[in-house]
Amino acid sequence: MAAEVVRAEIHPGIGIARVGNSQEWILAPEVMRPAPRTAAQCRDETGAIRREAVRFRIYGYDEHGEVVKELTADDAEIEWTVHIAAAKAAWYIFIAAMDRPEMKDRMLRRRNPDYELSKRSDLRIDPGPVTIGGRNSASQCSGRFTYRDAGAEVLLGDLATDEAGRLVVAAGRGVSGSPTGLPPISTEDDDWFGNTSGWYDDIADGPVTATVRIDGRKIPCSNAWVASAPPNFAPDILGWRTLDDLMQDVFTNARWLDRPALPSFSHDIYPLFERLARLQWVNQGIANIFGAHGVTDFTDPDFVDKIARIHNGEADTYQPLRRSLANLFRGKDSTSWQGLPPIYGDTFGTIGGSEADQPGNLLSLWDRAKKSVDKWVAGHFDTDWSGPPSVQVFEDVPLAEQPRLLDRAAMHFCLADAFHPGCELTWLLRHPGLYEAPYRIRMRSAGAPPQDYGNGLTREAIFAANGPLQAQGPGDLTRWMALPWQMDTLGCRSGYFPDLDPYLPTFWPARVPNHVLTGEDYEILMDKTKSPEERIGAFTTRKSWYAPLGPDVSFANAIQRMIDHLQKLGIVCLLPGPDDAAQLGVPKEIYVEHLHAEKTARADFRAEFAALRQLQGTPSEADLQAQKAGWSSDSERHSYLRARFPHLQDR
């Protein structure tokens, strides 16, 4: 090597491996703009959802902190160790994000509170450290969950090395269950949501370490972290605020990253609007406002050109337009339903009061974005716009930029909000004490016992110098998440208040769609024997993503169906639009729901729904409004709201 390697780092610093019910997996994105995912990539030949595995690489650095090269089995002996654990059942309940000021007097009790203290380790699934090395090798991380006198063996993940000796970590199969046959929901407990007693799931996390030797010389190597998460049902769609956005804010405020003198239109401003527009494929309300044939299309190139540069010199023709757009974004402490984005925040439904009287009920611009928008409005921004960024290929990225790109790409496809508790990870990531450096979790000493704070975990204990926001151990990041994971994934929807809007606000449509363009409607759009009106009507129609699970007035039954039939749910993938798209006013490329068995899944749903309607009688106007948003009936919506959001007015 031209320069001597004196230390090494694993990248990404935090990797996200997504569960799926297939034995097979595909690799998670390693760039910010990967090629679109196809349905064939997302499902195996049986229709099961492939897992999304994360690949870890090691980079060698010289004494000046410059990247020398990626270290592979060609130039180093590498031995990987992964220690993941699933610790939700042995931790404390979720109520709301505990860093919210409204939670200052709240205390979290234990999950499974009546379980003997001396046996609470039974509730942790901890395979211990698993070591793997060389090329093309494989291993597994499996452990046992025990509840009372029953237990289950649980696969938390598969490990593999590729032909270059890089580590690949695949998550578990998305399995949740109760060894004693308890139901997934027990509404006798006021804090039942995401805190089911006697249950386990295979969502896990923990450190990834490596022993690296070059010519027999041991090279110090920083650790990384891996966490498993639910599937990504819309893999090309980004959340309005990503975990990378959040971390950039945290690291900038902690002075680990510099704030750019001028915001980039392409990288700091355009995404705020483009991401909203792309949510048209996963929520009907957003399609009505920001989609093709909607009120405002933020992807329209003529519109983007107006706000992307300074026109007419000092006259700055479109500065008033920039100011008007900026004013659409909600203020940080606003309690108003008006403004952008129409997406719920941390406090909605969990921290007292009615649905509109708490700051944080809906999202607002975060600190870094607010400063960028203010400069953009004033005309102080980098007019670097040359059209939407093109697809990236990792191998084309300069070596020096690869490590940070891996870090950012892993977080780019994760949601920062709402932490309710969240999709991939939760509110802990807002706190700099969690990290030892950007994108690198502070690791607790190996062999340290699991943390325990008695029968109640208070805010004071959480934020103490030796509290759970400091150094982390196996299972410590995901223990704050919902148990089972399907409850939060299926439970954070849209359309809670049809009298306000049948579709908005919404929670997580970028990861868990609300309303989608079905394959059936796509076929009508593409059929040139149909009238333009019928084809456009099919395009503008979005149907409930939850429908393939079948209609039911019981949320508990819907959860159980998702647990049992994960493969039934649709994955939103890109398909070409019609060749007369311009005449119809529709995009050249269109995101369409892909089902394992398109023809039968929707037909089965219609038959089941018809039978349910026959039992219930003619649907009322309230039922029809609720069904627009994806509920089976207004009674299902009401029963869910009363149980899930007890602090809200029953509307």
Side-chain angles (χ1 to χ4, degrees), residues 122-193:
D122 292 351
L123 305 174
R124 281 178 59 89
I125 307 170
D126 190 345
V130 178
T131 297
I132 188 173
R135 305 174 192 263
N136 300 314
S137 55
S139 189
Q140 288 189 322
C141 301
S142 294
R144 185 170 181 80
F145 176 82
T146 302
Y147 185 78
R148 304 304 179 200
D149 296 324
E153 291 296 322
V154 184
L155 172 69
L156 297 184
D158 284 287
L159 309 182
T161 55
D162 66 11
E163 67 283 353
R166 304 180 186 103
L167 174 69
V168 176
V169 181
R173 307 283 176 78
V175 174
S176 303
S178 167
T180 59
L182 294 172
I185 290 177
S186 175
T187 54
E188 297 173 2
D189 185 342
D190 289 342
D191 296 317
W192 63 269
F193 188 88

Side-chain angles (χ1 to χ4, degrees), residues 40-56:
Q41 290 173 313
C42 296
R43 295 186 189 274
D44 66 20
E45 292 184 355
T46 71
I49 296 174
R50 284 192 173 100
R51 294 173 284 170
E52 188 175 278
V54 58
R55 177 164 55 187
F56 291 94

